[in-house]
Amino acid sequence: MANPNILCTRIDNRLIHGQVGVTWVNHLGANLIIVANDKVAEDEVQQNLMDMVVSDAVQTRYFTVQKTIDIIFKASPRQKIFLVVKDIHDALRLKEGGVPIDYVNVGNMHFEEGKRQISSTVSVDEADIQACKRLNELGVELDVRRVPNERGQNLMDLI
């Protein structure tokens, strides 16, 4: 079975918003956004709000992380997938579950109690750092970048 046509995987704790639903989708040429997150997969209100940001030409799917792992290889080659996750831990679960992710765009990991800010949009705690290191060991490039035309930074250089 062929690998799914995943154009980009992005970590953004806001999931789909203007930057993701318009700027990144247009830059990538994606026609499908898959949000892989256990809570959002069960929250139709949040899904409907996110769908309002996306063009009618782009489909959206909201799956749990496990369902994404289970079905990603059933994707059609015509599906140009933009995979969006809420945090580094969902990205790691996908990679360890066999989803072919070699590159992750780290867009937003908001600051909260117990985290330290390492860039204008990324804050991490020790658990996040361990997940980053594990993804790095698995050969995943972690690129901190808010928007496509911004120069990225290797997350491993920042932690």
Side-chain angles (χ1 to χ4, degrees):
M1 194 178 299
N3 274 347
N5 189 8
I6 299 172
L7 303 175
C8 182
T9 301
R10 177 177 171 95
I11 297 170
D12 195 320
N13 58 308
R14 301 167 297 172
L15 299 172
I16 299 176
H17 53 91
Q19 232 173 41
V20 167
V22 178
T23 306
W24 278 99
V25 166
N26 290 340
H27 171 75
L28 296 168
N31 60 19
L32 173 62
I33 301 172
I34 296 177
V35 173
N37 179 266
D38 295 348
K39 288 182 183 171
V40 173
E42 308 299 323
D43 187 342
E44 284 187 37
V45 172
Q46 194 171 358
Q47 292 173 23
N48 289 333
L49 289 171
M50 288 189 277
D51 283 345
M52 291 169 51
V53 177
V54 180
S55 157
D56 290 340
V58 178
Q59 295 183 327
T60 55
R61 299 288 183 272
Y62 302 93
F63 299 138
T64 64
V65 172
Q66 188 58 54
K67 184 169 182 177
T68 304
I69 291 165
D70 294 343
I71 69 165
I72 195 72
F73 286 96
K74 295 178 182 176
S76 163
R78 293 184 311 274
Q79 292 175 307
K80 298 173 185 170
I81 302 168
F82 185 18
L83 185 56
V84 180
V85 297
K86 193 172 190 80
D87 59 39
I88 193 78
H89 306 284
D90 285 350
L92 179 58
R93 285 177 57 205
L94 289 170
K95 179 65 177 177
E96 290 183 333
V99 177
I101 298 171
D102 299 318
Y103 168 87
V104 173
N105 162 242
V106 183
N108 271 305
M109 293 172 60
H110 280 321
F111 179 81
E112 57 188 53
E113 189 71 32
K115 294 194 177 208
R116 66 181 171 91
Q117 190 169 358
I118 60 170
S119 81
S120 63
T121 60
V122 177
S123 296
V124 295
D125 61 17
E126 191 54 39
D128 297 333
I129 291 170
Q130 292 309 312
C132 292
K133 288 180 179 178
R134 179 68 181 132
L135 279 165
N136 188 57
E137 289 170 5
L138 294 170
V140 177
E141 178 186 350
L142 299 167
D143 181 50
V144 177
R145 181 185 313 240
R146 290 175 301 153
V147 292
N149 61 356
E150 182 177 77
R151 190 170 154 265
Q153 290 183 280
N154 185 330
L155 181 85
M156 299 310 292
D157 293 342
L158 300 173
I159 59 175

